[in-house]
Amino acid sequence: MSSAIEALDRLIDDYRHALSIEDWDGLNVITESVQPCVDAAVAEVRAGDVSADLLTERLLDLRRIAEEVAQGAGVARQTAADGLKEVGRSRSAVNAYADVSHRKPR
């Protein structure tokens, strides 16, 4: 098998693993590797060293994983936003309690 296709296979495996453990930083690093890896595979197809069908299969896998990553990132962002809202509500409650508890009795 070609080195570019093997690199794509490793990239796909790395993507799946990082997604399974929700390693968002790792996914960002992997995403930066996609274009150079695809470019190398396309070059091999153009040179006749690799079947276009083989590359198409890998690219479809990559697209499916990218869609899963985008969906997972959306869920993670919403979870973080909900957590920040809760922290804000808790902080407001603590501040309100502090204001009431420090008032002098009349």
Side-chain angles (χ1 to χ4, degrees):
M1 187 173 301
S2 82
S3 60
I5 295 297
E6 288 175 355
L8 270 176
D9 287 342
R10 282 191 303 276
L11 185 81
I12 290 166
D13 288 343
D14 291 347
Y15 244 140
R16 285 186 177 129
H17 176 71
L19 180 59
S20 73
I21 62 171
E22 297 182 356
D23 178 4
W24 305 113
D25 292 332
L27 286 164
N28 286 331
V29 170
I30 294 166
T31 299
E32 292 174 7
S33 303
V34 170
Q35 193 62 52
C37 206
V38 169
D39 290 345
V42 168
E44 287 188 0
V45 168
R46 286 186 178 149
D49 298 334
V50 175
S51 159
D53 291 339
L54 195 59
L55 177 58
T56 299
E57 181 182 310
R58 296 320 193 275
L59 293 177
L60 289 173
D61 284 345
L62 198 54
R63 186 176 76 189
R64 281 190 289 273
I65 294 167
E67 289 169 356
E68 289 177 37
V69 168
Q71 184 178 18
V75 169
R77 273 192 298 275
Q78 186 59 49
T79 300
D82 292 346
L84 289 172
K85 286 178 188 174
E86 186 60 35
V87 167
R89 284 192 290 269
S90 296
R91 184 178 298 140
S92 294
V94 167
N95 289 339
Y97 175 77
D99 288 345
V100 170
S101 65
H102 291 317
R103 288 186 187 162
K104 294 186 180 188
R106 293 181 188 189

